[in-house]
Amino acid sequence: MQTMTHLTTLATSQSTSISKTSSERLYKKAMKKARMELPENILKHKLDMCSRHRKLIEALQLYDEARRNGVQLSYHHYNVLLYLCSFAAVGSLAESEDGEDDVNVKNLGMTRGIEIYQQMNIDKVAPNEATFTNAARLAAAMEDPEMAFDLVKQMKSSGIPPRLRSYGPALFGFCEKGEASKAFDVDAHMIECGVVAEESELAALLEVAIERKIGEKVYEMLHRLRSSVRQVSESTAKVVEKWFRSDYATDVGKETWDAAKIKEGIVNGGGGWHGQGWLGNGRWRVTRTNMDMKGVCQSCDEKLVCIDIDPAETAHFAGSLPKLACQKESKVNFLKFEEWLRQHGPFDAVIDGANVGMQNQHYFSFFDLNSTVNQLRQLSPSKKLPLVILHRSRVHGGPAEDPKNRRLLQRWKESGALYATPAGSNDDWYWLYAAVSCNCLLVTNDEMRDHLFQLLGTSFFPRWKEKHQVRTSFSRGVRLHMPPPYSIIIQESENGSWHVPTVTGDDIGNPRQWLCATRARNMSARSPSLEQIWRGQ
């Protein structure tokens, strides 16, 4: 009887608990529905849909209706409206709406955008970075970069850190108007706020400096492109070429200079530039050219240099990788790999096994992967097997179950040359960390441009990658393409010539295009080759 009573009490308790949980769930669901049905939340959802589909006119109709009905607007509502208005004002909406022509849509975006921004201030709705940036775009559309710059200054004084996109309307606006000094004021403000200009901003500043014949600023922008961009796009290459072909560039430069000071500048800078200003004078000889396998310019015969990386930078970078990896990966799994690497490393090379094994893009080939392993072992000073990083799914099942491949995997494992990354992991972190910590070659065709590699920044990683990445091609077997013996970066020589690499070409099947600029009087005397005579050089 007591047992029955206990069971009845327990069942009643559980039933009550379940009923209470169910009631709470229904209450939360009802509250959520009630919130979603509030006028301001319905408006938010509809405006978000307008933003997604670039529907300016519909968004403005919703705004006008909301104001008539006394709906309270938040900064989110205003920002969506300002975003649509600013994009319409600069002509960036996907298409005209409801038969409206482009000019009318632009004008509508400008006039209503300013009106909405003013109303936001009247309503005392606190702006954020997006608010100021969209308002700055509206100012740029009205061809008022002064107002755009003032908005950025207001942003800073309000304690809101400006972003790169915040400066674009003012900087590009001044550059388009040819107001170089004001454009460089914007640039100085960016530097003061720790905002780093990218290629498009530097190219715009370079072009306005060329138009206004400010030789020292042209020189500065070329060096900033060298340090932060390294290889330039075709559009930027044309701007650089425009400078070297200009009449003004002919007269800019020192006729005499201290050669010892120039060499000292090159040593202090790590090689590849001196930073002492334009050297020589006279007309520039400008050509599009390639480098040979040793880094010798096919136009002027100058040999490019290989710029060293400070070992302390490598050590610091290797130390930062586990912290980044453990933010994205299982900490236990990655720490286990670190310990494994300490026991079995260092290695002379690390292979991104999935990338190499899938290079024919049709099926995973252990034959190609083994061929790569054997070639690297022969190249290794220690004749040690390279480390192969493969995801666990590649080690078990599929082609891995073939007896021949199974024996191959077992041999690598017994030699301490195979690491299978755990389920759910991103093997990119593993092969990258192994290569950096061992300071060795990394075999992969991965361009390393996705979000993971963007986390690593643009200062050290591109330089490390250039010196350590081995790429592969397939033609009657695997062929290894070793890192170039020179740095693919804008280089300024001690005699004043310049070599500017472009992103055109991949240095494997298609040679990279370079811009070579030399002064005729600084070139070494030599007889032209038959190829140059044929090309009319």
Side-chain angles (χ1 to χ4, degrees):
M1 186 66 182
Q2 289 180 346
T3 303
M4 287 297 294
T5 303
H6 174 72
L7 289 174
T8 302
T9 304
L10 181 62
T12 303
S13 174
Q14 289 177 339
S15 176
T16 303
S17 177
I18 291 169
S19 177
K20 184 179 179 181
T21 303
S22 178
S23 297
E24 288 176 351
R25 192 183 305 116
L26 288 171
Y27 175 75
K28 287 179 180 178
K29 189 175 181 180
M31 289 298 292
K32 182 179 180 181
K33 184 180 179 183
R35 283 197 302 272
M36 291 301 295
E37 290 176 350
L38 289 172
E40 55 267 34
N41 286 332
I42 293 173
L43 177 63
K44 178 181 180 296
H45 173 73
K46 289 182 177 180
L47 287 176
D48 286 344
M49 290 300 102
C50 290
S51 176
R52 180 180 298 177
H53 299 291
R54 303 288 184 92
K55 297 290 185 181
L56 170 65
I57 294 171
E58 184 180 335
L60 291 173
Q61 290 170 346
L62 289 167
Y63 168 72
D64 292 336
E65 182 183 356
R67 289 206 64 79
R68 284 195 300 270
N69 295 334
V71 177
Q72 187 173 1
L73 274 66
S74 70
Y75 75 89
H76 180 88
H77 299 114
Y78 279 114
N79 281 346
V80 173
L81 289 159
L82 289 171
Y83 168 82
L84 282 168
C85 287
S86 65
F87 268 73
V90 297
S92 294
L93 283 184
E95 57 185 358
S96 299
E97 303 180 57
D98 303 329
E100 293 282 341
D101 60 44
D102 289 339
V103 174
N104 286 342
V105 171
K106 286 181 181 180
N107 289 336
L108 182 67
M110 275 190 282
T111 54
R112 293 303 306 271
I114 293 299
E115 171 199 319
I116 288 167
Y117 179 67
Q118 291 171 342
Q119 187 62 51
M120 186 178 182
N121 288 328
I122 292 169
D123 291 347
K124 292 184 169 51
V125 176
N128 62 7
E129 183 273 333
T131 311
F132 282 114
T133 298
N134 287 321
R137 287 176 182 147
L138 287 167
M142 295 187 297
E143 298 183 0
D144 190 351
E146 291 276 9
M147 177 182 171
F149 193 21
D150 284 341
L151 285 162
V152 177
K153 292 174 183 175
Q154 287 176 39
M155 190 188 312
K156 185 188 175 187
S157 63
S158 300
I160 302 169
R163 292 166 59 183
L164 180 60
R165 68 178 188 174
S166 312
Y167 287 98
L171 190 144
F172 292 120
F174 284 131
C175 287
E176 286 167 11
K177 285 176 171 282
E179 298 184 45
S181 62
K182 292 180 179 179
F184 284 107
D185 285 344
V186 177
D187 180 50
H189 198 277
M190 289 170 62
I191 293 169
E192 181 186 328
C193 292
V195 176
V196 179
E198 294 181 355
E199 183 175 4
S200 57
E201 290 78 22
L202 294 174
L205 290 166
L206 174 64
E207 190 159 26
V208 76
I210 293 169
E211 288 172 358
R212 294 304 174 192
K213 300 179 180 179
I214 313 173
E216 67 274 14
K217 282 295 183 183
V218 174
Y219 187 82
E220 178 190 335
M221 291 305 112
L222 278 175
H223 274 295
R224 285 173 65 182
L225 283 167
R226 175 193 60 77
S227 62
S228 63
V229 178
R230 298 173 66 83
Q231 301 118 31
V232 302
S233 64
E234 179 57 29
S235 59
T236 302
K238 287 179 179 177
V239 177
V240 175
E241 193 168 355
K242 179 181 176 182
W243 161 254
F244 285 114
R245 292 191 185 280
S246 69
D247 291 333
Y248 181 70
T250 300
D251 301 322
V252 174
K254 306 171 185 175
E255 291 190 24
T256 59
W257 58 86
D258 186 339
K261 189 175 180 182
I262 297 299
K263 288 182 178 178
E264 181 184 351
I266 290 172
V267 171
N268 291 341
W273 66 287
H274 53 74
Q276 304 294 312
W278 301 109
L279 302 183
N281 54 27
R283 188 162 294 279
W284 291 89
R285 179 176 177 274
V286 187
T287 59
R288 293 293 184 106
T289 186
N290 310 119
M291 301 297 148
D292 70 8
M293 297 294 288
K294 295 181 179 179
V296 175
C297 177
Q298 298 299 282
S299 176
C300 70
D301 282 348
E302 186 168 315
K303 190 176 189 301
L304 299 187
V305 302
C306 183
I307 300 169
D308 293 333
I309 295 177
D310 187 340
E313 282 189 277
T314 303
H316 176 74
F317 184 65
S320 69
L321 275 176
K323 297 174 187 174
L324 284 170
C326 289
Q327 292 173 13
K328 306 293 179 180
E329 296 288 308
S330 162
K331 187 173 183 180
V332 173
N333 288 340
F334 201 81
L335 291 176
K336 182 180 176 183
F337 173 63
E338 284 188 88
E339 181 57 34
W340 184 94
L341 194 60
R342 276 192 287 270
Q343 291 176 10
H344 295 84
F347 294 90
D348 295 325
V350 174
I351 301 175
D352 174 5
N355 185 276
V356 172
M358 285 294 294
Q359 67 178 339
N360 60 27
Q361 298 183 349
H362 297 297
Y363 58 88
F364 190 87
S365 172
F366 276 99
F367 180 84
D368 291 345
L369 183 53
N370 188 41
S371 174
T372 305
V373 168
N374 290 335
Q375 287 187 61
L376 287 166
R377 186 177 194 177
Q378 289 301 314
L379 292 169
S380 167
S382 64
K383 302 304 176 188
K384 183 177 180 178
L385 282 171
L387 171 60
V388 179
I389 301 286
L390 277 174
H391 196 272
R392 182 170 292 174
S393 61
R394 297 286 185 191
V395 177
H396 302 285
E401 295 305 315
D402 182 283
K404 186 165 56 177
N405 295 335
R406 176 55 52 198
R407 288 194 297 272
L408 183 64
L409 287 165
Q410 189 61 32
R411 186 164 71 248
W412 290 344
K413 186 176 181 180
E414 290 172 355
S415 301
L418 172 67
Y419 193 87
T421 59
S425 65
N426 183 344
D427 55 359
D428 291 6
W429 285 112
Y430 290 79
W431 51 252
L432 179 62
Y433 174 71
V436 173
S437 61
C438 294
N439 200 26
C440 67
L441 296 175
L442 170 61
V443 185
T444 182
N445 284 340
D446 193 321
E447 291 298 331
M448 295 180 259
R449 291 174 180 161
D450 63 17
H451 177 67
L452 182 156
F453 300 102
Q454 290 174 11
L455 293 173
L456 306 178
T458 58
S459 176
F460 175 82
F461 182 61
R463 290 182 286 138
W464 183 91
K465 172 186 162 185
E466 180 184 277
K467 283 179 169 292
H468 294 83
Q469 184 180 9
V470 178
R471 290 183 287 175
T472 62
S473 61
F474 188 82
S475 178
R476 295 182 181 179
V478 178
R479 182 183 174 193
L480 301 180
H481 300 271
M482 305 304 285
Y486 57 95
S487 294
I488 305 172
I489 185 174
I490 296 173
Q491 296 201 20
E492 174 193 33
S493 73
E494 60 183 271
N495 66 10
S497 63
W498 288 77
H499 290 88
V500 181
T502 72
V503 294
T504 305
D506 59 7
D507 292 320
I508 296 181
N510 184 21
R512 185 181 300 275
Q513 242 188 48
W514 288 71
L515 183 69
C516 168
T518 58
R519 301 224 196 228
R521 66 183 62 182
N522 287 341
M523 289 178 62
S524 57
R526 60 182 178 85
S527 300
S529 66
L530 289 174
E531 182 185 2
Q532 288 171 323
I533 292 171
W534 178 259
R535 292 191 313 207
Q537 296 179 348

